[in-house]
Amino acid sequence: MDEDFDIPAANEMDADMDLPDDAPMMKVGEEKEIGNQGLKKKLVKEGEGWDTPENGDEVEVHYTGTLLDGTQFDSSRDRGTPFKFTLGQGNVIKGWDIGIKTMKKGENAVFTIPPELAYGESGSPPTIPPNATLQFDVELLSWTSVKDICKDGGIIKKILKEGEKWENPKDLDEVLVNYEARLEDGTVVGKADGVEFTVKDGHFCPTLAKAVKTMKKGEKVLLAVKPQYGFGEKGKSASGDEGAVPPNATLQIALELVSWKTVSEITDDKKVIKKILKEGDGFERPNEGAVVKVKLIGKLQDGTVFVKKGHSEEEQLFEFKTDEEQVIDGLDRAVITMKKNEVALLTIAPEYAFGSAESQQELAVVPPNSTVHYEVELVSFEKEKESWDMNTEEKIEAAGKKKEQGNTLFKAGKYARASKRYEKAVKYIEYDTSFGDEEKKQAKALKVACNLNNAACKLKLKDFKQAEKLCTKVLDLDSRNVKALYRRAQAYIQMADLDLAEFDIKKALEIDPDNRDVKLEYKTLKEKMKEYNKKEAKFYGNMFAKMSMFGSAESNKAEPKEAEPMSVDSKA
């Protein structure tokens, strides 16, 4: 708007707005009220995409303002110069701040603005009378997003070029950036093209790490940086091509996020790390039991290659089945997180590689306790058939196979892997409403066996709560299952739920009075209860003794009563 008519914010309009967060869905020619204060919007031309500007963004518009009788009082179109302002900062009348937030890029709309959201009782003489309702024909040409990254005004980000897609780098990722840092007087104090760093480690000053986590690939921004996110009270001495930064200096940093390599922790203990060197295709990944074909190179930390497969034309791709211990555990776990044609660099600690023993590999010996690196390309994979792709007969057959695999692993002492097999077996037959009567019997028998065996795994793994839950599932299907009662009692004993353990053992002995294992467990339980009663008696004895010390004189003379031990019903 021109110098004579700058649509100032009306001083009277200070009430909070009760407005919807999102722009209303509208068709061309349709008029709707925005909020509940009388502001109306009529859509003249649809905009592009879905994004709308937010408070703090710098918007650029063309507009024509008229009174309700059609009298024009201002127009940027007539001047041939778009009007720019910062949205939501009170630089324009409130009807504008509210209405333009609902517009998309390129959209054209007519806003009918009541006096309460315009110039109120005073108007804006001589062109706008008191209590005037105004109409503005507005086209949103563009806007520059401005973000307060740290929500304290310390880093203000203005987007100069939008990035691609929607992802942002995370702490572990390695980013590639270009940047130039200047003082307020324009002096360059830092500049680099193609510098790479890990986000959590940062680079140059704290601002770069904080800013890149909000950026998309290819995005370019201008950052206004307060001292606390630059070099603070101490400033920075000149070094090399970088100029000195005075104490408490504000910086202007132009930053471009060229690209980044996604780095993720495959295991919770951070001992298998995957860095994506080349993104894969689509969304599908191998599942456990999938047959995968890969190219791979395995190296020691000093660069010695100990294995190389699938890289020459004469050599076949390396093929293996996941979750079958055909490769080291770290490689097995990582490959099921990859997409087709993805290339990744894996860093695998000894616990997930070759362990504490020396291992002779194809091209070199891997010394004991070696951290190894694999560069892996997932060329193709064939997923193991999922339950929803199977008919009833196939589901029961698959569940039976997984149960047998679990049994083999259990006998080998591989309880965690066995547990996974039993869980998968149950998933195949979990929903049996479409099964016939005979198939339901088979499914029930498999569920009972797999949950019981899985409970035995959980007891070995000291996951007593999960063992108790699995036994309860079995008892829901078969309330007189002695093994389920026995194993649940074992779990209860370990969790110190002795009364519940005794209940289960007694019930098991009612069903099978001669069961040797149950009798031995009852003996263990009695010893535990005896030990518990002794501790409880000692605790209450000490408590009564302390009470007697602080009691009345009469109480001091009285003999303190020893707490009676908890009675135990020893009948089986």
Side-chain angles (χ1 to χ4, degrees):
M1 298 186 182
D2 61 16
E3 294 175 358
D4 296 327
F5 198 88
D6 197 20
I7 303 197
N11 293 333
E12 303 93 323
M13 315 302 154
D14 290 328
D16 290 338
M17 299 293 108
D18 182 16
L19 301 169
D21 292 328
D22 299 319
M25 298 293 290
M26 298 180 68
K27 297 177 182 178
V28 172
E30 186 179 7
E31 185 174 58
K32 284 189 176 180
E33 185 171 349
I34 300 172
N36 57 9
Q37 299 210 354
L39 174 64
K40 293 180 180 178
K41 173 184 175 181
K42 183 177 182 180
L43 185 62
V44 177
K45 186 184 82 170
E46 289 185 349
E48 305 168 10
W50 297 98
D51 291 339
T52 56
E54 299 176 6
N55 286 340
D57 291 351
E58 296 176 359
V59 299
E60 184 177 47
V61 301
H62 262 315
Y63 71 92
T64 300
T66 61
L67 303 177
L68 286 181
D69 63 6
T71 302
Q72 179 176 308
F73 54 81
D74 192 26
S75 174
S76 66
R77 295 184 177 97
D78 291 350
R79 292 190 299 277
T81 304
F83 175 55
K84 297 180 181 180
F85 70 99
T86 301
L87 190 62
Q89 304 300 306
N91 298 331
V92 293
I93 58 175
K94 288 196 174 179
W96 269 48
D97 270 341
I98 297 165
I100 289 173
K101 280 171 65 177
T102 70
M103 299 183 73
K104 303 180 181 77
K105 184 179 178 181
E107 183 178 317
N108 188 188
V110 174
F111 292 98
T112 301
I113 305 177
E116 294 79 12
L117 300 178
Y119 294 97
E121 295 177 358
S122 58
S124 184
T127 51
I128 298 177
N131 295 311
T133 295
L134 309 179
Q135 283 192 326
F136 284 93
D137 183 327
V138 181
E139 181 182 4
L140 178 56
L141 303 175
S142 65
W143 73 87
T144 301
S145 290
V146 179
K147 308 290 183 188
D148 182 353
I149 290 177
C150 299
K151 308 300 181 187
D152 60 0
I155 306 174
I156 302 298
K157 181 181 86 168
K158 181 188 292 187
I159 298 177
L160 305 179
K161 179 192 169 193
E162 291 286 347
E164 305 169 14
K165 300 183 179 178
W166 61 89
E167 300 101 333
N168 308 115
K170 304 293 188 295
D171 281 337
L172 295 175
D173 296 345
E174 293 181 4
V175 294
L176 181 68
V177 304
N178 302 324
Y179 72 90
E180 183 178 83
R182 296 175 179 267
L183 301 177
E184 287 183 295
D185 64 6
T187 303
V188 176
V189 293
K191 183 176 180 179
D193 289 330
V195 65
E196 192 170 37
F197 64 92
T198 300
V199 175
K200 66 182 177 65
D201 295 338
H203 182 77
F204 184 64
C205 70
T207 289
L208 294 196
K210 292 182 180 296
V212 294
K213 288 169 70 173
T214 71
M215 296 173 68
K216 301 168 187 169
K217 182 181 177 181
E219 186 175 317
K220 292 182 180 180
V221 302
L222 184 63
L223 305 169
V225 183
K226 294 283 180 67
Q228 66 265 34
Y229 295 106
F231 293 95
E233 297 177 354
K234 294 182 179 180
K236 182 179 80 75
S237 302
S239 62
D241 297 333
E242 294 185 352
V245 178
N248 297 311
T250 295
L251 301 176
Q252 297 283 337
I253 302 177
L255 177 63
E256 178 184 7
L257 177 57
V258 179
S259 63
W260 76 86
K261 294 168 185 170
T262 301
V263 179
S264 55
E265 296 166 343
I266 302 299
T267 56
D268 292 339
D269 57 9
K270 305 178 184 180
K271 291 186 176 180
V272 181
I273 304 295
K274 181 182 82 164
K275 182 199 298 185
I276 296 177
L277 305 180
K278 175 178 170 285
E279 292 286 346
D281 304 329
F283 298 96
E284 288 284 312
R285 293 178 172 87
N287 59 358
E288 292 174 350
V291 175
V292 300
K293 292 183 179 181
V294 302
K295 296 178 182 178
L296 65 81
I297 300 175
K299 297 180 181 180
L300 302 176
Q301 285 187 294
D302 64 4
T304 302
V305 175
F306 61 82
V307 66
K308 185 173 183 179
K309 292 185 179 291
H311 281 273
S312 64
E313 291 184 7
E314 308 82 41
E315 189 180 17
Q316 288 186 335
L317 296 169
F318 180 52
E319 180 179 308
F320 66 93
K321 191 172 186 179
T322 62
D323 200 35
E324 290 289 347
E325 298 185 310
Q326 294 178 5
V327 294
I328 60 171
D329 193 21
L331 177 58
D332 210 355
R333 290 172 184 243
V335 80
I336 62 173
T337 71
M338 297 175 69
K339 300 173 186 174
K340 184 179 178 181
N341 294 323
E342 181 180 319
V343 180
L345 181 63
L346 309 177
T347 301
I348 305 173
E351 296 89 327
Y352 295 92
F354 299 97
S356 58
E358 182 178 278
S359 178
Q360 176 64 56
Q361 293 297 297
E362 184 181 274
L363 302 176
V365 172
V366 177
N369 300 309
S370 293
T371 293
V372 295
H373 304 275
Y374 283 88
E375 185 175 311
V376 182
E377 179 181 352
L378 179 57
V379 179
S380 67
F381 61 89
E382 185 178 342
K383 296 177 78 170
E384 183 174 73
K385 203 169 185 180
E386 299 284 6
S387 61
W388 51 81
D389 293 322
M390 298 178 178
N391 60 34
T392 301
E393 186 179 343
E394 288 174 323
K395 288 178 182 178
I396 292 172
E397 184 182 351
K401 285 181 179 178
K402 290 295 176 188
K403 187 195 88 166
E404 292 308 317
Q405 290 171 9
N407 292 350
T408 302
L409 288 165
F410 186 90
K411 288 171 185 174
K414 297 175 181 178
Y415 305 119
R417 292 174 58 77
S419 175
K420 285 169 67 177
R421 292 295 193 280
Y422 295 132
E423 285 169 7
K424 195 154 190 178
V426 171
K427 280 184 180 177
Y428 282 128
I429 51 175
E430 189 171 10
Y431 303 106
D432 59 3
T433 51
S434 61
F435 290 14
D437 290 342
E438 186 57 37
E439 292 160 339
K440 282 184 178 179
K441 285 181 185 177
Q442 290 177 280
K444 179 181 175 180
L446 280 167
K447 285 179 191 176
V448 166
C450 288
N451 282 327
L452 270 176
N453 293 351
N454 198 4
C457 291
K458 298 301 184 184
L459 288 170
K460 292 285 189 181
L461 295 167
K462 301 190 186 307
D463 187 352
F464 303 117
K465 186 65 181 173
Q466 198 60 36
E468 177 260 317
K469 287 181 179 179
L470 288 163
C471 291
T472 300
K473 284 184 179 180
V474 173
L475 291 165
D476 288 342
L477 295 171
D478 178 8
S479 62
R480 293 176 60 81
N481 190 293
V482 172
K483 277 189 179 179
L485 290 165
Y486 167 62
R487 287 179 185 162
R488 189 166 73 171
Q490 288 181 302
Y492 282 143
I493 288 171
Q494 295 300 325
M495 293 189 291
D497 288 332
L498 304 185
D499 290 340
L500 292 174
E502 185 178 32
F503 180 86
D504 277 355
I505 286 176
K506 285 184 174 182
K507 187 170 180 181
L509 288 172
E510 284 175 12
I511 298 164
D512 185 0
D514 299 323
N515 190 299
R516 183 173 175 274
D517 289 333
V518 178
K519 285 182 175 180
L520 286 172
E521 198 63 30
Y522 199 13
K523 184 179 179 183
T524 301
L525 173 62
K526 286 179 179 180
E527 288 171 357
K528 288 267 185 185
M529 295 184 85
K530 187 176 180 182
E531 182 184 336
Y532 175 80
N533 288 338
K534 281 182 180 178
K535 286 180 180 178
E536 190 176 57
K538 185 177 179 181
F539 170 77
Y540 283 111
N542 290 338
M543 184 177 72
F544 291 146
K546 287 178 182 178
M547 288 172 62
S548 68
M549 289 173 62
F550 300 100
S552 63
E554 290 80 7
S555 297
N556 285 337
K557 294 174 184 176
E559 288 280 333
K561 287 187 179 179
E562 191 173 327
E564 293 183 6
M566 181 187 291
S567 61
V568 177
D569 185 353
S570 60
K571 293 179 182 178

